[in-house]
Amino acid sequence: AAGVIQSPRHLIKEKRETATLKCYPIPRHDTVYWYQQGPGQDPQFLISFYEKMQSDKGSIPDRFSAQQFSDYHSELNMSSLELGDSALYFCASSYPSGSSYNEQFFGPGTRLTVL
Amino acid sequence: DAKTTQPNSMESNEEEPVHLPCNHSTISGTDYIHWYRQLPSQGPEYVIHGLTSNVNNRMASLAIAEDRKSSTLILHRATLRDAAVYYCILRDGGSGGSNYKLTFGKGTLLTVNP
């Protein structure tokens, strides 16, 4: 079965540089979530999109922005990178059917290292 | 989202049952109880969810206390592949489609011994 695709899988950037992470949800899934997991930490919700509109926002720095495109893929743009942004970034997708129990399917993650 | 409390770690032997507890004393009437797990170097993976009644699926069983203030995830026969961090998460079922995020707390690290 098709899974959530994230690219790139690994990314190395210098401080103050910009990074773009991409997420391709499972076909027919129209909701995308972004999570950040720092070293030894638990995943933390960043932002979500439903039908190309931002639906919820968590502890996402102002330096980060995201959007969902017409084909439902999503991109997380990170500017002025800091050492503390080094983390695993997970994308998840789900198909909302009007209830809150739809499971989220997670991608393999993008490991971002800021030097 | 209401908070959950889980033991930091648990240990099991292969092919034995495992009972992973979760306390959620401040759960509201519309909160669903979800369990996800994260295997090493992988993204989280859905395990099971429930509201009031006990639930079974191919991966596990979920036993929910009558007062809903606690629940237990049951792995009937642990395998080495079940070694992971298990997260118990409450999701508000009354907030509509815009609030389906998962709020991960400190999960339980399950070690399975061969």
Side-chain angles (χ1 to χ4, degrees):
Chain A
V4 176
I5 297 171
Q6 291 188 247
S7 68
R9 293 292 308 278
H10 302 272
L11 191 58
I12 299 175
K13 291 286 186 178
E14 300 279 341
K15 281 194 323 184
R16 292 180 289 277
E17 285 191 324
T18 299
T20 297
L21 279 53
K22 297 184 179 182
C23 169
Y24 298 86
I26 293 172
R28 291 186 296 282
H29 283 195
D30 54 11
T31 302
V32 167
Y33 312 79
W34 287 96
Y35 294 85
Q36 177 191 57
Q37 186 171 27
Q41 303 295 312
D42 303 297
Q44 297 297 312
F45 171 73
L46 290 178
I47 195 166
S48 63
F49 293 87
Y50 167 61
E51 280 292 345
K52 292 152 279 185
M53 298 287 288
Q54 181 181 307
S55 55
D56 200 358
K57 195 172 181 179
S59 306
I60 183 169
D62 292 339
R63 300 178 288 107
F64 293 8
S65 65
Q67 58 181 322
Q68 186 178 31
F69 295 85
S70 57
D71 64 351
Y72 296 105
H73 93 272
S74 178
E75 295 184 4
L76 178 66
N77 298 294
M78 310 158 71
S79 62
S80 302
L81 287 170
E82 302 173 357
L83 296 179
D85 296 329
S86 295
L88 263 172
Y89 291 84
F90 290 107
C91 171
S93 73
S94 70
Y95 183 75
S97 62
S99 70
S100 69
Y101 55 73
N102 281 348
E103 61 181 285
Q104 292 186 18
F105 294 82
F106 283 77
T110 293
R111 182 174 296 281
L112 173 66
T113 301
V114 181
L115 302 176
Chain B
D1 293 321
K3 285 191 174 180
T4 61
T5 304
Q6 301 176 247
N8 288 334
S9 62
M10 291 187 66
E11 206 167 319
S12 173
N13 295 318
E14 204 175 5
E15 298 190 8
E16 289 185 354
V18 182
H19 291 235
L20 297 165
C22 180
N23 286 320
H24 29 77
S25 58
T26 59
I27 190 170
S28 74
T30 57
D31 283 337
Y32 283 79
I33 302 160
H34 291 251
W35 284 81
Y36 279 75
R37 71 181 184 181
Q38 186 172 22
L39 278 64
S41 303
Q42 294 188 30
E45 174 187 34
Y46 168 84
V47 178
I48 200 167
H49 76 273
L51 183 62
T52 56
S53 303
N54 294 343
V55 184
N56 299 296
N57 67 19
R58 62 176 181 80
M59 289 182 68
S61 295
L62 177 60
I64 301 173
E66 197 168 333
D67 63 4
R68 302 215 317 132
K69 293 183 185 296
S70 66
S71 60
T72 302
L73 178 69
I74 303 165
L75 306 179
H76 296 286
R77 290 185 65 197
T79 68
L80 296 179
R81 196 194 170 279
D82 291 322
V85 177
Y86 286 78
Y87 294 98
C88 171
I89 299 169
L90 301 183
R91 293 177 81 188
D92 185 4
S95 57
S98 64
N99 192 26
Y100 294 162
K101 66 185 178 188
L102 294 172
T103 302
F104 292 85
K106 296 296 178 187
T108 298
L109 174 63
L110 175 66
T111 302
V112 180
N113 301 313

